[in-house]
Coordinates of all heavy atoms in Angstrom, one line a residue:
M1 N 14.7 -11.9 -57.3 CA 13.6 -11.6 -56.6 C 13.9 -10.8 -55.3 O 14.8 -11.1 -54.6 CB 12.9 -12.9 -56.1 CG 11.5 -13.0 -56.6 SD 10.9 -14.7 -56.5 CE 10.1 -14.5 -54.9
S2 N 13.3 -9.7 -55.1 CA 13.6 -8.8 -54.0 C 12.7 -9.3 -52.8 O 11.6 -9.7 -53.0 CB 13.3 -7.4 -54.3 OG 11.9 -7.2 -54.5
K3 N 13.3 -9.1 -51.6 CA 12.6 -9.5 -50.4 C 11.6 -8.3 -50.1 O 12.0 -7.2 -50.1 CB 13.5 -9.7 -49.3 CG 14.3 -11.0 -49.4 CD 15.1 -11.2 -48.2 CE 15.9 -12.5 -48.3 NZ 16.7 -12.7 -47.1
R4 N 10.4 -8.7 -49.7 CA 9.5 -7.6 -49.3 C 9.7 -7.3 -47.8 O 10.0 -8.1 -47.0 CB 8.0 -8.2 -49.4 CG 7.5 -8.1 -50.8 CD 6.1 -8.5 -50.7 NE 5.4 -8.0 -51.9 CZ 4.1 -8.0 -52.1 NH1 3.4 -8.6 -51.2 NH2 3.6 -7.6 -53.2
K5 N 9.5 -6.0 -47.6 CA 9.6 -5.6 -46.2 C 8.3 -6.0 -45.5 O 7.3 -6.0 -46.1 CB 9.7 -4.0 -46.1 CG 11.1 -3.5 -46.6 CD 11.1 -2.0 -46.4 CE 12.5 -1.5 -46.9 NZ 12.6 -0.1 -46.8
P6 N 8.4 -6.3 -44.2 CA 7.2 -6.7 -43.5 C 6.2 -5.5 -43.5 O 6.6 -4.3 -43.4 CB 7.6 -7.0 -42.1 CG 9.0 -6.5 -42.0 CD 9.6 -6.3 -43.3
R7 N 5.0 -5.8 -43.7 CA 3.9 -4.8 -43.8 C 3.7 -4.2 -42.4 O 3.6 -4.9 -41.4 CB 2.6 -5.5 -44.2 CG 1.7 -4.6 -44.9 CD 0.6 -5.3 -45.6 NE -0.7 -4.8 -45.0 CZ -1.8 -5.4 -45.1 NH1 -1.9 -6.6 -45.6 NH2 -2.9 -4.9 -44.6
K8 N 3.6 -2.9 -42.3 CA 3.3 -2.2 -41.0 C 1.9 -2.4 -40.7 O 1.0 -2.2 -41.5 CB 3.7 -0.8 -41.1 CG 5.2 -0.5 -41.2 CD 5.4 1.0 -41.1 CE 6.9 1.2 -41.2 NZ 7.2 2.6 -41.1
T9 N 1.6 -2.7 -39.4 CA 0.2 -2.8 -39.0 C -0.3 -1.4 -38.7 O 0.5 -0.5 -38.5 CB 0.1 -3.7 -37.7 OG1 1.0 -3.1 -36.7 CG2 0.6 -5.1 -38.0
R10 N -1.6 -1.3 -38.6 CA -2.2 0.0 -38.4 C -1.9 0.5 -37.0 O -1.6 1.6 -36.7 CB -3.7 -0.1 -38.5 CG -4.2 0.3 -39.9 CD -5.7 0.2 -39.9 NE -6.2 1.6 -39.7 CZ -7.4 1.9 -39.4 NH1 -8.3 0.9 -39.3 NH2 -7.8 3.1 -39.3
K11 N -1.9 -0.4 -36.0 CA -1.6 -0.1 -34.6 C -0.5 -1.0 -34.1 O -0.4 -2.1 -34.6 CB -2.9 -0.2 -33.7 CG -3.9 0.8 -34.1 CD -5.0 0.8 -33.0 CE -6.2 1.7 -33.4 NZ -6.0 3.1 -33.4
A12 N 0.3 -0.5 -33.2 CA 1.4 -1.3 -32.7 C 0.9 -2.4 -31.8 O -0.2 -2.4 -31.3 CB 2.3 -0.4 -32.0
N13 N 1.7 -3.4 -31.6 CA 1.4 -4.6 -30.8 C 1.0 -4.2 -29.4 O 0.1 -4.7 -28.8 CB 2.5 -5.6 -30.9 CG 2.1 -6.9 -30.3 OD1 1.0 -7.3 -30.3 ND2 3.1 -7.6 -29.7
W14 N 1.7 -3.2 -28.8 CA 1.5 -2.8 -27.4 C 0.1 -2.2 -27.3 O -0.5 -2.3 -26.2 CB 2.5 -1.8 -27.0 CG 2.8 -0.6 -27.8 CD1 3.8 -0.5 -28.8 CD2 2.0 0.6 -27.9 NE1 3.7 0.7 -29.4 CE2 2.6 1.4 -28.9 CE3 0.9 1.1 -27.2 CZ2 2.2 2.7 -29.2 CZ3 0.5 2.4 -27.5 CH2 1.1 3.2 -28.5
W15 N -0.5 -1.6 -28.3 CA -1.8 -1.1 -28.3 C -2.8 -2.2 -28.1 O -3.7 -2.2 -27.2 CB -2.1 -0.3 -29.6 CG -3.4 0.4 -29.5 CD1 -3.5 1.7 -29.1 CD2 -4.7 0.0 -29.8 NE1 -4.8 2.1 -29.1 CE2 -5.6 1.1 -29.6 CE3 -5.2 -1.2 -30.2 CZ2 -7.0 1.0 -29.8 CZ3 -6.6 -1.3 -30.4 CH2 -7.4 -0.2 -30.2
Y16 N -2.6 -3.3 -28.8 CA -3.5 -4.5 -28.7 C -3.4 -5.2 -27.3 O -4.3 -5.6 -26.7 CB -3.3 -5.5 -29.8 CG -3.8 -4.9 -31.2 CD1 -2.9 -4.5 -32.1 CD2 -5.2 -4.8 -31.4 CE1 -3.4 -4.0 -33.3 CE2 -5.6 -4.3 -32.6 CZ -4.7 -3.9 -33.6 OH -5.2 -3.4 -34.7
Q17 N -2.1 -5.2 -26.8 CA -1.9 -5.9 -25.6 C -2.5 -5.1 -24.4 O -3.1 -5.7 -23.5 CB -0.4 -6.0 -25.3 CG 0.3 -7.0 -26.2 CD 1.8 -7.1 -26.0 OE1 2.4 -6.2 -25.4 NE2 2.4 -8.1 -26.6
T18 N -2.5 -3.8 -24.5 CA -3.1 -2.9 -23.5 C -4.6 -3.1 -23.5 O -5.3 -3.2 -22.5 CB -2.7 -1.4 -23.7 OG1 -1.3 -1.3 -23.7 CG2 -3.3 -0.6 -22.6
R19 N -5.2 -3.1 -24.8 CA -6.6 -3.3 -24.9 C -7.1 -4.6 -24.4 O -8.1 -4.7 -23.7 CB -6.9 -3.2 -26.4 CG -8.4 -3.4 -26.7 CD -8.6 -3.2 -28.2 NE -9.7 -4.0 -28.6 CZ -9.9 -4.4 -29.9 NH1 -9.1 -4.0 -30.9 NH2 -10.9 -5.1 -30.2
K20 N -6.3 -5.7 -24.6 CA -6.6 -7.0 -24.1 C -6.6 -7.1 -22.6 O -7.4 -7.7 -22.0 CB -5.7 -8.0 -24.7 CG -6.0 -9.5 -24.4 CD -5.1 -10.4 -25.1 CE -5.4 -11.8 -24.7 NZ -4.5 -12.8 -25.3
R21 N -5.6 -6.4 -22.0 CA -5.4 -6.4 -20.6 C -6.5 -5.6 -19.9 O -7.1 -6.1 -18.9 CB -4.1 -5.8 -20.2 CG -3.8 -5.8 -18.7 CD -2.6 -4.9 -18.3 NE -3.0 -3.5 -18.7 CZ -2.1 -2.6 -18.7 NH1 -0.8 -2.8 -18.5 NH2 -2.4 -1.3 -19.0
D22 N -6.8 -4.4 -20.3 CA -7.7 -3.5 -19.6 C -9.2 -3.7 -20.1 O -10.1 -3.6 -19.3 CB -7.3 -2.0 -19.8 CG -6.0 -1.7 -19.1 OD1 -5.6 -2.5 -18.3 OD2 -5.5 -0.6 -19.4
Q23 N -9.4 -3.9 -21.3 CA -10.7 -4.2 -22.0 C -11.7 -3.0 -21.9 O -12.5 -2.8 -22.8 CB -11.4 -5.4 -21.4 CG -10.6 -6.7 -21.7 CD -11.2 -7.9 -21.2 OE1 -12.3 -7.9 -20.5 NE2 -10.7 -9.1 -21.5
T24 N -11.7 -2.3 -20.8 CA -12.6 -1.1 -20.7 C -11.8 0.1 -20.2 O -10.6 -0.1 -19.8 CB -13.8 -1.3 -19.7 OG1 -13.3 -1.6 -18.5 CG2 -14.7 -2.4 -20.2
C25 N -12.4 1.3 -20.2 CA -11.7 2.4 -19.7 C -11.2 2.2 -18.2 O -12.0 1.8 -17.4 CB -12.6 3.7 -19.8 SG -11.9 5.2 -19.2
R26 N -10.0 2.6 -17.9 CA -9.5 2.4 -16.5 C -10.1 3.4 -15.6 O -10.1 3.2 -14.4 CB -8.0 2.6 -16.5 CG -7.3 1.4 -17.0 CD -6.3 0.6 -16.3 NE -5.5 0.9 -15.2 CZ -4.2 1.0 -15.2 NH1 -3.5 0.9 -16.4 NH2 -3.5 1.2 -14.2
V27 N -10.7 4.4 -16.1 CA -11.3 5.5 -15.2 C -12.8 5.2 -15.0 O -13.3 5.0 -13.9 CB -11.1 6.9 -15.8 CG1 -11.8 7.9 -14.9 CG2 -9.6 7.2 -15.9
C28 N -13.6 5.2 -16.1 CA -15.0 5.1 -15.9 C -15.5 3.6 -16.2 O -16.7 3.4 -16.0 CB -15.7 6.0 -16.9 SG -15.5 5.7 -18.7
H29 N -14.7 2.7 -16.5 CA -15.0 1.3 -16.7 C -16.0 1.1 -17.8 O -16.8 0.1 -17.7 CB -15.4 0.7 -15.4 CG -14.3 0.8 -14.3 ND1 -13.1 0.1 -14.4 CD2 -14.3 1.5 -13.2 CE1 -12.4 0.4 -13.4 NE2 -13.0 1.3 -12.6
K30 N -16.1 1.9 -18.8 CA -17.0 1.8 -19.9 C -16.3 1.5 -21.1 O -15.1 1.9 -21.3 CB -17.9 3.0 -20.0 CG -18.8 3.3 -18.9 CD -19.6 4.5 -19.1 CE -20.4 4.8 -17.8 NZ -21.1 6.1 -17.9
L31 N -16.9 0.8 -22.1 CA -16.3 0.6 -23.4 C -17.1 1.5 -24.4 O -18.2 1.3 -24.6 CB -16.5 -0.9 -23.8 CG -15.8 -1.2 -25.1 CD1 -14.3 -1.0 -25.1 CD2 -16.1 -2.7 -25.5
K32 N -16.4 2.5 -24.8 CA -17.0 3.5 -25.7 C -16.5 3.3 -27.2 O -15.6 2.5 -27.4 CB -16.7 4.9 -25.2 CG -17.4 5.1 -23.9 CD -17.3 6.5 -23.4 CE -18.0 6.7 -22.1 NZ -17.8 8.0 -21.6
K33 N -17.1 4.0 -28.1 CA -16.7 3.9 -29.5 C -15.2 4.2 -29.7 O -14.5 3.6 -30.5 CB -17.6 4.7 -30.3 CG -17.5 4.5 -31.8 CD -18.6 5.3 -32.6 CE -18.5 5.0 -34.0 NZ -19.5 5.7 -34.8
V34 N -14.8 5.3 -29.1 CA -13.4 5.8 -29.3 C -12.6 5.5 -28.0 O -12.9 6.1 -27.0 CB -13.3 7.3 -29.7 CG1 -11.9 7.7 -29.8 CG2 -14.1 7.6 -30.9
M35 N -11.6 4.6 -28.1 CA -10.8 4.3 -27.0 C -9.3 4.6 -27.4 O -8.9 4.5 -28.5 CB -10.9 2.8 -26.6 CG -12.3 2.4 -26.2 SD -12.9 3.1 -24.7 CE -11.9 2.2 -23.5
Q36 N -8.5 5.0 -26.4 CA -7.2 5.4 -26.6 C -6.3 4.9 -25.6 O -6.7 4.5 -24.5 CB -7.1 7.0 -26.6 CG -8.0 7.6 -27.6 CD -8.1 9.1 -27.4 OE1 -7.8 9.6 -26.3 NE2 -8.6 9.8 -28.4
V37 N -5.0 4.8 -25.9 CA -4.0 4.3 -24.9 C -3.2 5.5 -24.4 O -2.7 6.3 -25.2 CB -3.0 3.3 -25.6 CG1 -1.9 2.9 -24.6 CG2 -3.8 2.0 -26.0
H38 N -3.1 5.6 -23.1 CA -2.5 6.7 -22.4 C -1.1 6.3 -21.9 O -1.0 5.2 -21.3 CB -3.4 7.2 -21.3 CG -2.7 8.3 -20.4 ND1 -2.4 9.5 -20.9 CD2 -2.3 8.2 -19.1 CE1 -1.9 10.2 -19.9 NE2 -1.8 9.5 -18.8
H39 N -0.1 7.1 -22.1 CA 1.2 6.8 -21.5 C 1.3 7.4 -20.1 O 1.3 8.6 -20.0 CB 2.3 7.3 -22.4 CG 2.5 6.6 -23.7 ND1 1.7 6.8 -24.8 CD2 3.4 5.7 -24.0 CE1 2.1 6.0 -25.8 NE2 3.1 5.3 -25.3
V40 N 1.3 6.6 -19.1 CA 1.2 7.0 -17.7 C 2.3 8.0 -17.3 O 2.1 9.0 -16.8 CB 1.1 5.8 -16.7 CG1 1.0 6.3 -15.3 CG2 -0.1 5.0 -17.1
R41 N 3.5 7.5 -17.6 CA 4.7 8.3 -17.2 C 5.3 9.1 -18.4 O 6.4 9.5 -18.4 CB 5.8 7.4 -16.6 CG 5.5 7.0 -15.2 CD 6.4 6.0 -14.7 NE 5.7 4.7 -14.6 CZ 6.1 3.6 -15.2 NH1 7.1 3.5 -15.9 NH2 5.3 2.5 -15.1
G42 N 4.5 9.2 -19.5 CA 5.0 9.9 -20.7 C 5.7 9.0 -21.7 O 5.9 7.8 -21.4
R43 N 6.1 9.7 -22.7 CA 6.8 8.9 -23.8 C 8.3 9.1 -23.8 O 9.0 8.6 -24.6 CB 6.3 9.4 -25.2 CG 4.8 9.0 -25.4 CD 4.4 9.3 -26.7 NE 2.9 9.3 -26.8 CZ 2.2 10.2 -27.4 NH1 2.8 11.1 -28.2 NH2 0.9 10.2 -27.4
R44 N 8.8 10.0 -22.9 CA 10.2 10.3 -22.9 C 11.0 9.4 -21.9 O 12.1 9.8 -21.5 CB 10.4 11.7 -22.6 CG 9.9 12.6 -23.6 CD 10.1 14.1 -23.3 NE 9.5 14.9 -24.4 CZ 9.4 16.2 -24.4 NH1 9.8 16.8 -23.3 NH2 8.8 16.8 -25.4
I45 N 10.5 8.3 -21.5 CA 11.2 7.4 -20.6 C 11.9 6.3 -21.5 O 11.5 6.2 -22.6 CB 10.3 6.8 -19.5 CG1 9.2 5.9 -20.2 CG2 9.7 7.9 -18.6 CD1 8.4 5.2 -19.2
P46 N 12.8 5.6 -20.9 CA 13.5 4.6 -21.8 C 12.7 3.6 -22.5 O 12.9 3.3 -23.7 CB 14.4 3.8 -20.7 CG 14.6 4.8 -19.7 CD 13.4 5.7 -19.6
D47 N 11.6 3.0 -21.9 CA 10.8 2.1 -22.6 C 9.3 2.6 -22.5 O 8.5 2.1 -21.7 CB 10.9 0.7 -22.0 CG 10.2 -0.4 -22.8 OD1 9.8 -0.1 -24.0 OD2 10.0 -1.5 -22.3
P48 N 8.9 3.6 -23.3 CA 7.6 4.2 -23.2 C 6.4 3.3 -23.4 O 5.3 3.5 -22.9 CB 7.6 5.4 -24.1 CG 8.6 5.0 -25.2 CD 9.6 4.1 -24.5
N49 N 6.6 2.3 -24.3 CA 5.5 1.4 -24.6 C 5.5 0.1 -23.8 O 4.8 -0.9 -24.2 CB 5.5 1.1 -26.1 CG 5.4 2.3 -26.9 OD1 4.7 3.3 -26.5 ND2 6.0 2.4 -28.1
N50 N 6.1 0.1 -22.7 CA 6.0 -1.0 -21.8 C 4.6 -1.1 -21.2 O 4.0 0.0 -20.9 CB 7.1 -0.8 -20.6 CG 7.1 -2.0 -19.7 OD1 6.2 -2.8 -19.6 ND2 8.2 -2.1 -19.0
L51 N 4.0 -2.2 -21.0 CA 2.6 -2.3 -20.6 C 2.4 -1.7 -19.2 O 1.3 -1.2 -18.9 CB 2.2 -3.8 -20.5 CG 1.9 -4.4 -21.9 CD1 1.5 -5.9 -21.7 CD2 0.9 -3.7 -22.7
D52 N 3.4 -1.6 -18.4 CA 3.3 -1.0 -17.1 C 3.1 0.5 -17.2 O 2.6 1.2 -16.3 CB 4.5 -1.2 -16.2 CG 4.6 -2.7 -15.8 OD1 3.6 -3.4 -15.8 OD2 5.8 -3.1 -15.6
N53 N 3.4 1.1 -18.3 CA 3.3 2.5 -18.6 C 2.1 2.9 -19.4 O 1.9 4.1 -19.7 CB 4.6 3.0 -19.3 CG 4.6 4.5 -19.4 OD1 4.2 5.3 -18.5 ND2 5.0 5.0 -20.6
L54 N 1.2 1.9 -19.7 CA 0.1 2.2 -20.6 C -1.2 1.9 -19.9 O -1.3 1.0 -19.1 CB 0.2 1.3 -21.8 CG 1.5 1.4 -22.7 CD1 1.5 0.4 -23.7 CD2 1.5 2.8 -23.3
A55 N -2.2 2.7 -20.2 CA -3.6 2.6 -19.7 C -4.6 2.8 -20.8 O -4.4 3.7 -21.6 CB -3.8 3.6 -18.6
Y56 N -5.6 2.0 -20.9 CA -6.6 2.0 -21.9 C -7.7 2.9 -21.4 O -8.3 2.7 -20.3 CB -7.1 0.6 -22.1 CG -7.9 0.4 -23.4 CD1 -7.4 0.7 -24.7 CD2 -9.1 -0.2 -23.4 CE1 -8.1 0.5 -25.8 CE2 -9.8 -0.5 -24.5 CZ -9.3 -0.1 -25.7 OH -10.0 -0.4 -26.9
L57 N -8.0 4.0 -22.1 CA -9.0 5.0 -21.7 C -9.9 5.4 -22.8 O -9.5 5.4 -24.0 CB -8.2 6.3 -21.2 CG -7.2 6.2 -20.1 CD1 -6.5 7.5 -20.0 CD2 -7.8 5.8 -18.8
C58 N -11.1 5.8 -22.4 CA -12.0 6.4 -23.4 C -11.5 7.8 -23.7 O -10.8 8.4 -22.9 CB -13.5 6.4 -22.9 SG -13.8 7.5 -21.5
S59 N -12.0 8.4 -24.8 CA -11.5 9.7 -25.2 C -11.8 10.8 -24.2 O -11.0 11.7 -24.0 CB -12.0 10.0 -26.6 OG -13.4 10.1 -26.6
G60 N -12.9 10.7 -23.6 CA -13.3 11.7 -22.6 C -12.4 11.7 -21.4 O -11.9 12.8 -20.9
C61 N -12.2 10.5 -20.8 CA -11.3 10.4 -19.6 C -9.9 10.7 -20.0 O -9.1 11.3 -19.2 CB -11.4 9.0 -19.0 SG -13.1 8.7 -18.3
H62 N -9.4 10.3 -21.2 CA -8.1 10.6 -21.7 C -7.9 12.1 -21.8 O -6.8 12.6 -21.4 CB -7.8 9.9 -23.0 CG -6.4 9.9 -23.4 ND1 -6.0 9.9 -24.7 CD2 -5.3 10.0 -22.7 CE1 -4.7 9.9 -24.8 NE2 -4.2 10.0 -23.6
R63 N -8.9 12.8 -22.3 CA -8.8 14.3 -22.4 C -8.7 14.9 -21.0 O -7.8 15.8 -20.8 CB -10.0 14.8 -23.1 CG -9.9 16.3 -23.5 CD -11.1 16.8 -24.3 NE -11.6 15.8 -25.2 CZ -12.9 15.3 -25.1 NH1 -13.7 15.7 -24.2 NH2 -13.3 14.4 -26.0
L64 N -9.5 14.4 -20.0 CA -9.4 15.0 -18.7 C -8.1 14.7 -18.0 O -7.5 15.6 -17.4 CB -10.5 14.4 -17.8 CG -11.9 15.0 -18.0 CD1 -12.9 14.1 -17.2 CD2 -11.9 16.4 -17.5
I65 N -7.6 13.5 -18.2 CA -6.3 13.1 -17.6 C -5.2 13.9 -18.2 O -4.3 14.4 -17.5 CB -6.1 11.6 -17.6 CG1 -7.0 10.9 -16.6 CG2 -4.6 11.3 -17.4 CD1 -6.8 9.5 -16.5
S66 N -5.2 14.1 -19.5 CA -4.2 14.9 -20.2 C -4.2 16.3 -19.7 O -3.2 16.9 -19.5 CB -4.4 14.8 -21.7 OG -4.2 13.5 -22.2
L67 N -5.4 16.9 -19.6 CA -5.5 18.3 -19.1 C -4.9 18.4 -17.7 O -4.2 19.4 -17.4 CB -6.9 18.8 -19.1 CG -7.6 19.1 -20.5 CD1 -9.1 19.3 -20.3 CD2 -6.9 20.3 -21.1
V68 N -5.2 17.5 -16.8 CA -4.7 17.6 -15.5 C -3.2 17.3 -15.4 O -2.5 18.1 -14.8 CB -5.5 16.5 -14.6 CG1 -4.8 16.4 -13.2 CG2 -6.9 16.9 -14.4
S69 N -2.7 16.3 -16.2 CA -1.3 16.1 -16.1 C -0.5 17.1 -16.8 O 0.6 17.4 -16.4 CB -0.9 14.7 -16.7 OG -1.8 14.2 -17.6
F70 N -1.0 17.8 -17.8 CA -0.2 18.9 -18.4 C -0.3 20.2 -17.7 O 0.5 21.1 -18.0 CB -0.6 19.1 -19.9 CG -0.2 17.9 -20.8 CD1 -1.1 17.3 -21.6 CD2 1.1 17.5 -20.8 CE1 -0.7 16.2 -22.4 CE2 1.6 16.4 -21.6 CZ 0.7 15.8 -22.4
S71 N -1.2 20.3 -16.8 CA -1.3 21.5 -16.0 C -0.3 21.5 -14.8 O -0.7 21.6 -13.6 CB -2.7 21.8 -15.5 OG -3.1 20.8 -14.7
R72 N 0.9 21.1 -15.1 CA 2.0 21.0 -14.1 C 1.9 19.9 -13.0 O 2.6 19.9 -12.0 CB 2.3 22.4 -13.4 CG 2.7 23.4 -14.4 CD 3.3 24.6 -13.7 NE 3.6 25.7 -14.6 CZ 4.7 25.7 -15.3 NH1 5.7 24.9 -15.1 NH2 4.9 26.7 -16.2
T73 N 0.9 19.0 -13.2 CA 0.8 17.9 -12.3 C 1.2 16.7 -13.1 O 0.4 15.9 -13.6 CB -0.7 17.7 -11.8 OG1 -1.2 18.9 -11.4 CG2 -0.8 16.6 -10.8
V74 N 2.5 16.6 -13.3 CA 3.0 15.5 -14.2 C 3.0 14.2 -13.4 O 3.5 14.1 -12.3 CB 4.5 15.8 -14.6 CG1 5.1 14.7 -15.5 CG2 4.5 17.1 -15.3
V75 N 2.4 13.2 -14.1 CA 2.2 11.9 -13.5 C 3.5 11.1 -13.7 O 3.9 10.8 -14.8 CB 1.0 11.1 -14.1 CG1 0.9 9.8 -13.5 CG2 -0.2 11.9 -13.9
R76 N 4.2 10.7 -12.6 CA 5.5 10.1 -12.8 C 5.5 8.6 -12.4 O 6.4 7.9 -12.7 CB 6.6 10.8 -12.0 CG 6.8 12.2 -12.5 CD 8.2 12.7 -12.1 NE 8.3 14.1 -12.5 CZ 8.7 14.4 -13.7 NH1 9.1 13.5 -14.6 NH2 8.9 15.7 -14.0
D77 N 4.5 8.2 -11.7 CA 4.5 6.8 -11.2 C 3.0 6.2 -11.2 O 2.1 7.0 -11.4 CB 5.1 6.6 -9.9 CG 4.5 7.4 -8.8 OD1 3.3 7.9 -9.0 OD2 5.1 7.6 -7.7
T78 N 2.9 5.0 -11.1 CA 1.6 4.3 -11.1 C 0.7 4.8 -10.0 O -0.5 5.0 -10.2 CB 1.8 2.8 -11.1 OG1 2.7 2.4 -12.1 CG2 0.5 2.1 -11.4
E79 N 1.3 4.9 -8.8 CA 0.4 5.3 -7.6 C -0.2 6.7 -7.9 O -1.3 7.0 -7.6 CB 1.3 5.4 -6.4 CG 0.5 5.6 -5.1 CD 1.4 5.6 -3.9 OE1 2.3 4.8 -3.8 OE2 1.1 6.4 -3.0
A80 N 0.6 7.6 -8.4 CA 0.1 9.0 -8.7 C -0.9 8.9 -9.8 O -1.9 9.6 -9.8 CB 1.3 9.9 -9.2
F81 N -0.8 8.0 -10.8 CA -1.8 7.8 -11.8 C -3.1 7.3 -11.2 O -4.1 7.8 -11.6 CB -1.3 6.8 -12.9 CG -2.3 6.6 -14.0 CD1 -2.6 7.5 -14.9 CD2 -3.0 5.4 -14.0 CE1 -3.5 7.3 -15.9 CE2 -3.9 5.2 -15.0 CZ -4.2 6.1 -15.9
E82 N -3.0 6.4 -10.3 CA -4.2 5.9 -9.6 C -4.9 7.0 -8.9 O -6.2 7.1 -8.9 CB -3.9 4.7 -8.7 CG -3.4 3.4 -9.5 CD -4.4 3.0 -10.5 OE1 -5.6 3.1 -10.4 OE2 -3.9 2.5 -11.6
R83 N -4.2 7.9 -8.2 CA -4.8 9.0 -7.5 C -5.5 9.9 -8.5 O -6.6 10.4 -8.3 CB -3.7 9.8 -6.7 CG -3.3 9.0 -5.4 CD -2.6 10.0 -4.5 NE -1.5 10.7 -5.1 CZ -0.2 10.3 -5.1 NH1 0.1 9.2 -4.5 NH2 0.7 11.0 -5.7
L84 N -4.8 10.1 -9.6 CA -5.4 10.9 -10.7 C -6.7 10.3 -11.2 O -7.7 11.0 -11.5 CB -4.4 11.2 -11.8 CG -4.8 12.1 -12.9 CD1 -5.1 13.5 -12.4 CD2 -3.6 12.2 -13.9
V85 N -6.7 9.0 -11.4 CA -7.9 8.3 -11.9 C -9.0 8.5 -10.9 O -10.1 8.8 -11.3 CB -7.6 6.8 -12.0 CG1 -8.9 6.0 -12.2 CG2 -6.7 6.6 -13.3
N86 N -8.7 8.4 -9.6 CA -9.8 8.6 -8.6 C -10.3 10.1 -8.6 O -11.5 10.3 -8.5 CB -9.3 8.3 -7.2 CG -9.0 6.8 -7.0 OD1 -9.7 6.0 -7.7 ND2 -8.1 6.5 -6.2
Y87 N -9.4 11.0 -8.9 CA -9.8 12.4 -9.0 C -10.8 12.6 -10.2 O -11.8 13.2 -10.1 CB -8.6 13.3 -9.1 CG -8.9 14.7 -9.5 CD1 -9.4 15.6 -8.6 CD2 -8.8 15.1 -10.9 CE1 -9.8 16.9 -9.0 CE2 -9.1 16.4 -11.2 CZ -9.6 17.3 -10.3 OH -9.9 18.6 -10.7
V88 N -10.4 12.0 -11.3 CA -11.2 12.2 -12.5 C -12.5 11.4 -12.3 O -13.6 12.0 -12.8 CB -10.5 11.6 -13.8 CG1 -11.4 11.6 -15.0 CG2 -9.2 12.5 -14.1
K89 N -12.6 10.3 -11.6 CA -13.8 9.6 -11.4 C -14.8 10.5 -10.6 O -16.0 10.6 -10.9 CB -13.6 8.3 -10.6 CG -13.2 7.2 -11.4 CD -13.1 6.0 -10.5 CE -12.5 4.8 -11.3 NZ -12.3 3.6 -10.4
L90 N -14.2 11.2 -9.6 CA -15.1 12.1 -8.8 C -15.6 13.3 -9.7 O -16.8 13.6 -9.5 CB -14.3 12.7 -7.6 CG -14.0 11.8 -6.5 CD1 -13.1 12.5 -5.5 CD2 -15.3 11.4 -5.8
R91 N -14.8 13.7 -10.6 CA -15.2 14.8 -11.5 C -16.3 14.3 -12.5 O -17.2 15.0 -12.8 CB -14.1 15.4 -12.3 CG -13.0 16.0 -11.5 CD -13.3 17.2 -10.8 NE -13.5 18.3 -11.8 CZ -13.9 19.5 -11.6 NH1 -14.4 19.8 -10.4 NH2 -14.0 20.3 -12.5
V92 N -16.2 13.1 -12.9 CA -17.1 12.5 -13.9 C -18.4 12.1 -13.2 O -19.5 12.4 -13.7 CB -16.5 11.3 -14.6 CG1 -17.5 10.6 -15.5 CG2 -15.3 11.8 -15.5
E93 N -18.3 11.4 -12.1 CA -19.5 10.8 -11.5 C -20.1 11.7 -10.5 O -21.3 11.5 -10.1 CB -19.1 9.5 -10.8 CG -18.6 8.4 -11.8 CD -18.0 7.2 -11.1 OE1 -18.0 7.2 -9.9 OE2 -17.6 6.3 -11.8
G94 N -19.4 12.6 -9.9 CA -19.9 13.5 -8.9 C -19.7 12.9 -7.5 O -19.3 11.7 -7.4
P95 N -20.0 13.7 -6.4 CA -19.8 13.1 -5.1 C -20.8 12.1 -4.7 O -21.8 11.9 -5.2 CB -19.9 14.4 -4.2 CG -20.5 15.4 -5.0 CD -20.4 15.0 -6.5

């Protein structure tokens, strides 16, 4: 009898842990149909899926944050991410 390989889950465990921790979008605080996990400091760090590096975002806020961070404003730490979140909130909600 051959041993079966463990079945791969659809989403990784860190995705569910981030969802459980944040529950709603970290920017607009809404729960929308399409939610995504954002890597705050990117995926090229030693432990990219550490919960300190992950944020649960709706697709619209994730798109805005990705556009801002890829336009040479690379988010390297949590404090910078929070400033970016505040910037995106102002863009979404207005003054």
